[in-house]
């Protein structure tokens, strides 16, 4: 409300230049998310002046708070010509990603192409905001293939949106369909691994109705892929989750759960997969020290328990 009051006072003076707003927000709370009070202030003023002010602040302000307000003004409009400017400020995605995503969604076609451009370049919290915006409009044929193959970049924060990607992009239909490629299989592994252990962040396998279908289809494709260290780790972490969780929490019977675990272990314990992880993992890394002492030990993975593992 304080930001809206400053904007109302500014727009009430017809001759007030945008530069007057650069230092106007130092002592108020400027939200980085869409705010109805700020949006209402933008709608109360002349639309062209609001657009000019928003553009100027985004382009020229050296103060983060006033740049956020400028982006919020552009997010109250629909002008297609502002897309490149919104994308550019959106690259500073931890602070500007959520408003940039909201602004792009208001553009033609839900801003899907513009959002994909930004999603490909964003990381951290900013990636969360942009991927969530894509998921809200993922019926687009352009966005769905990208979400299914590239949305998870391995960051811990992927847990906030992995389940949204799986549901909105219909993961279970894609991984059981006719057009399954390596990118889709590998990304499915990342999605399932993330959903296996993101309680408190986002949708888990326990609350994902097609979990068993996706898990079964994924391991079927995995068995026909060449081994890599990343594929090995993803599959092992999924198998570990399956082995430790009650079957009913995965939407299957104990017999179905046990069969799934056996299928994953059959791939992980193949000689070519064992040889790949022995040769390719870094035994001095903190992650693999944890992995060997926890996941590999619980599953009795041959690559880590066989004496040949020491020869790597």
């Amino acid at each position: 409300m304080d930001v809206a009051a400053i904007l109302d006072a500014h727009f009430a003076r017809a001759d007030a230049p945008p530069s007057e707003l650069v230092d106007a927000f130092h002592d108020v709370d400027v939200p980085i998310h869409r705010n109805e009070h700020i949006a209402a202030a933008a709608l109360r003023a002349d639309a062209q002046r609001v657009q000019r002010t928003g553009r100027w602040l985004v382009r020229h302000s050296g103060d983060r708070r006033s740049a956020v307000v400028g982006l919020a003004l552009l997010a109250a409009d629909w002008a297609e010509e502002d897309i490149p400017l919104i994308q550019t400020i959106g690259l500073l995605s931890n602070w500007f990603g959520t408003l940039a995503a909201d602004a792009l969604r208001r553009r033609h076609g839900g801003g899907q192409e513009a959002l994909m451009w930004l999603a490909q370049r964003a990381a951290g919290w900013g990636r969360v905001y942009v991927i969530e915006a894509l998921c809200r409009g993922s019926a687009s044929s352009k966005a769905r293939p990208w979400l299914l193959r590239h949305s998870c970049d391995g960051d811990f924060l992927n847990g906030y949106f992995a389940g949204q990607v799986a549901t909105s992009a219909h993961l279970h239909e894609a991984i059981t369909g006719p057009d399954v490629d390596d990118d889709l299989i590998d990304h499915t592994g990342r999605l399932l691994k993330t959903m296996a252990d993101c309680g408190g962040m986002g949708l888990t396998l326990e609350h994902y109705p097609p979990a068993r279908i996706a898990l079964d289809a994924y391991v079927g494709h995995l068995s026909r892929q060449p081994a890599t260290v990343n594929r090995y780790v993803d599959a092992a972490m999924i198998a570990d989750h399956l082995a430790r969780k009650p079957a009913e929490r995965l939407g299957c019977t104990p017999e179905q759960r046990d069969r799934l675990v056996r299928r994953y272990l059959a791939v992980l314990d193949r000689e070519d997969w064992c040889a790949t992880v022995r040769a390719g993992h870094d035994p001095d890394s903190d992650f693999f020290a944890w992995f060997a002492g926890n996941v590999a030990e619980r599953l009795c993975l041959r690559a880590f328990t066989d004496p040949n593992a020491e020869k790597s």
Side-chain angles (χ1 to χ4, degrees), residues 219-220 222-225 232 235 261-274:
V219 73
L222 189 71
S223 67
R224 295 185 288 274
Q225 285 186 298
Y232 184 98
V261 172
R262 288 195 298 271
R263 292 187 68 198
Y264 277 86
L265 292 178
V267 176
L268 293 167
D269 285 341
R270 275 180 8 197
E271 182 53 42
D272 55 332
W273 282 67
C274 291

Side-chain angles (χ1 to χ4, degrees), residues 81-100:
E81 61 267 28
D82 286 332
I83 288 177
L85 181 60
I86 294 167
Q87 288 176 317
T88 301
I89 192 70
L91 291 172
L92 301 172
S93 58
N94 280 350
W95 283 99
F96 299 99
T98 180
L99 271 172

Side-chain angles (χ1 to χ4, degrees), residues 170-185:
H170 306 292
L171 172 65
H172 70 289
E173 292 181 1
I175 197 61
T176 58
D179 300 318
V180 178
D181 52 51
D182 281 343
D183 285 342
L184 176 60
I185 299 167

Side-chain angles (χ1 to χ4, degrees), residues 136-307:
R136 287 194 287 272
S138 66
S140 163
S141 59
K142 294 178 181 178
R144 185 176 179 240
W146 187 88
L147 285 169
L148 287 169
R149 290 167 175 81
H150 305 292
S151 54
C152 286
D153 62 355
D155 191 280
F156 172 74
L157 295 175
N158 291 173
Y160 284 100
F161 61 73
Q164 295 180 52
V165 171
T167 54
S168 63
H170 306 292
L171 172 65
H172 70 289
E173 292 181 1
I175 197 61
T176 58
D179 300 318
V180 178
D181 52 51
D182 281 343
D183 285 342
L184 176 60
I185 299 167
D186 290 342
H187 192 263
T188 296
R190 288 195 292 274
L191 283 170
L192 295 174
K193 179 189 69 174
T194 301
M195 293 170 66
D197 193 29
C198 65
M201 299 173 67
L203 184 74
T204 63
L205 292 177
E206 178 183 355
H207 297 104
Y208 175 55
R212 183 176 61 83
I213 296 171
L215 288 163
D216 186 72
Y218 169 66
V219 73
H221 292 300
L222 189 71
S223 67
R224 295 185 288 274
Q225 285 186 298
T228 69
V229 173
N230 286 338
R231 287 169 181 166
Y232 184 98
V233 169
D234 288 349
M237 294 183 73
I238 292 169
D240 184 53
H241 176 82
L242 290 172
R244 291 188 294 126
K245 294 291 184 181
E248 61 273 12
R249 292 175 63 178
L250 297 168
C252 57
T253 65
E255 292 76 15
Q256 290 171 328
R257 188 273 313 275
D258 293 345
R259 177 177 173 273
L260 273 174
V261 172
R262 288 195 298 271
R263 292 187 68 198
Y264 277 86
L265 292 178
V267 176
L268 293 167
D269 285 341
R270 275 180 8 197
E271 182 53 42
D272 55 332
W273 282 67
C274 291
T276 296
V277 76
R278 288 170 186 163
H281 83 281
D282 178 4
D284 296 323
S285 75
D286 291 340
F287 171 78
F288 273 103
W290 170 85
F291 181 88
N294 290 272
V295 176
E297 185 174 310
R298 285 192 293 265
L299 293 175
C300 298
L301 293 177
R302 179 167 164 257
F304 291 84
T305 58
D306 191 289

Side-chain angles (χ1 to χ4, degrees), residues 34-146:
R34 177 175 174 80
N35 180 272
E36 295 302 324
H37 297 290
I38 298 174
L43 294 175
R44 285 193 290 269
D46 175 74
Q48 290 187 338
R49 189 175 172 206
V50 167
Q51 186 183 49
R52 289 195 301 270
T53 301
R55 288 173 174 174
W56 193 95
L57 289 173
V58 169
R59 284 175 175 147
H60 301 292
S61 177
D63 178 79
R64 188 173 62 211
R65 294 180 182 85
S66 56
V68 168
V69 173
L71 182 56
L73 296 178
L74 295 182
D77 195 49
W78 297 269
E80 297 292 305
E81 61 267 28
D82 286 332
I83 288 177
L85 181 60
I86 294 167
Q87 288 176 317
T88 301
I89 192 70
L91 291 172
L92 301 172
S93 58
N94 280 350
W95 283 99
F96 299 99
T98 180
L99 271 172
D102 185 72
L104 294 174
R105 284 192 70 233
R106 293 169 64 83
R107 269 57 189 178
H108 177 72
Q112 293 287 289
E113 289 189 14
L115 283 167
M116 280 191 288
W117 184 94
L118 186 54
Q120 289 165 5
R121 294 160 175 82
W125 275 110
R127 190 178 186 86
V128 175
Y129 303 137
V130 181
I131 298 295
E132 287 180 338
L134 273 173
C135 286
R136 287 194 287 272
S138 66
S140 163
S141 59
K142 294 178 181 178
R144 185 176 179 240
W146 187 88

